[in-house]
Amino acid sequence: MERRAFRANGFAVLAGLLVLGIAAAAAAQAGGVALLVIAAIVWGVIAVVVATGFVVINPNEAKVIQFLGRYVGSVSDAGFLWVLPFTTKRRITLRVRNFETAKLKVNDADGNPVEIAAVVVYKVINTATAAFSVDDYEEYVAIQSEAAVRHLATSHPYDAHEEGRTSLRDGAEVAAELTTELSDRTHLAGVEVLEARITHLAYAPEIAQAMLVRQQATQVVAARTQIVAGAVGMVQLALTRLAEEGVVELDEERKAQMVSNLLVVLCGDRATQPVVNAGSLYG
């Protein structure tokens, strides 16, 4: 839908207008005062008409040109230019822009209330679509960003307790999914989303303490599981080495006692105090 509008160098048009005025004045002098006045009036009308076409465009900026309500094109060349006269010129910035959504309170996929916010980086790639497809492309991007963040939060849990399940804390995967969804939503407004990333993620205050206890318990269980697995391996290694090297022969009862003692030493929260048995092993 976007197309380039007719444009000319503004300084060249201005110079041509001045040359035309000087030439008209020189030609009218030979015809007397009346002809000079007529020439001045005609040149003045032409100058006013031409002046309505001058426009200044800054770097990374575009002007959407309309003539009597009809879109005639866009101009993005920086500098002093001249376009069709009697046209309206709407400024559209092409700079990379970013904004942060408000902190939204939504329920995640597990039904837990969480607070979430994201930063969105975008730029306009189609000035005509941005100007005419939506009322205000900036407001459109902001609203669609909040909608996408809400949808993302309800699609994933805060913490994934199952293998292969994506959680909101998986930064790279969640950011890629949010960027893709926002790109689909904002394409209609001529906007390209360069990046979208979560900047704030926390449980809602009313359940934050309970979830903290749950997280701590989960970590404790995970640590205990790893400790027990390591302890069992060490006990098995000790019994195997004792049997292979013939250091001592143990019956099943003594093996069970040795396993119990080693597990207490390896899995205990506190340092154990050794007890020396000076008598018989079976005493």
Side-chain angles (χ1 to χ4, degrees):
M1 184 177 180
E2 180 181 285
R3 60 177 180 268
R4 294 171 64 87
F6 170 79
R7 68 209 179 282
N9 188 290
F11 294 105
V13 174
L14 183 61
L17 185 64
L18 294 177
V19 170
L20 178 63
I22 295 173
Q29 283 182 351
V33 177
L35 186 59
L36 184 62
V37 172
I38 295 174
I41 294 175
V42 173
W43 182 85
V45 172
I46 295 175
V48 170
V49 172
V50 172
T52 60
F54 289 116
V55 61
V56 176
I57 300 179
N58 298 318
N60 278 332
E61 182 181 283
K63 291 292 180 69
V64 176
I65 311 300
Q66 287 180 266
F67 180 72
L68 300 178
R70 179 174 174 268
Y71 171 66
V72 296
S74 301
V75 180
S76 57
D77 301 332
F80 180 54
L81 303 175
W82 186 81
V83 296
L84 294 177
F86 298 116
T87 55
T88 58
K89 309 164 187 69
R90 179 177 174 181
R91 174 181 175 272
I92 301 290
T93 179
L94 303 179
R95 296 182 177 92
V96 176
R97 314 183 70 180
N98 71 90
F99 76 98
E100 186 174 11
T101 64
K103 292 182 182 179
L104 306 175
K105 185 177 179 181
V106 295
N107 292 335
D108 67 357
D110 292 338
N112 299 317
V114 297
E115 292 181 348
I116 187 172
V119 62
V120 179
V121 182
Y122 71 96
K123 68 175 182 179
V124 174
I125 59 174
N126 191 313
T127 57
T129 304
F132 304 120
S133 293
V134 294
D135 289 334
D136 187 337
Y137 72 90
E138 296 179 6
E139 183 181 359
Y140 180 84
V141 172
I143 294 176
Q144 292 300 323
S145 298
E146 291 192 3
V149 171
R150 287 183 181 275
H151 180 260
L152 179 73
T154 57
S155 302
H156 300 286
Y158 184 96
D159 277 316
H161 303 289
E162 302 175 4
E163 289 292 336
R165 191 180 185 188
T166 304
S167 72
L168 295 175
R169 301 175 67 181
D170 296 330
E173 297 179 14
V174 171
E177 182 178 342
L178 181 60
T179 302
T180 301
E181 182 173 352
L182 268 177
S183 297
D184 295 338
R185 288 173 177 264
T186 59
H187 179 72
L188 296 175
V191 172
E192 178 186 8
V193 176
L194 304 178
E195 183 183 17
R197 191 171 296 273
I198 292 177
T199 56
H200 175 80
L201 179 63
Y203 282 114
E206 58 267 25
I207 67 165
Q209 187 61 35
M211 288 302 175
L212 178 60
V213 174
R214 177 181 176 181
Q215 290 177 351
Q216 291 174 342
T218 302
Q219 296 301 322
V220 170
V221 170
R224 286 295 180 187
T225 302
Q226 188 172 0
I227 290 173
V228 170
V232 171
M234 293 177 67
V235 170
Q236 184 179 6
L237 177 62
L239 292 176
T240 303
R241 292 292 297 276
L242 288 174
E244 290 177 352
E245 299 182 8
V247 177
V248 65
E249 294 183 3
L250 300 175
D251 57 19
E252 294 301 323
E253 182 181 354
R254 294 305 175 182
K255 285 183 180 180
Q257 185 177 359
M258 181 179 177
V259 170
S260 175
N261 292 337
L262 287 175
L263 288 177
V264 170
V265 172
L266 295 173
C267 299
D269 287 333
R270 301 176 182 178
T272 57
Q273 297 295 329
V275 177
V276 178
N277 186 0
S280 172
L281 185 62
Y282 293 91

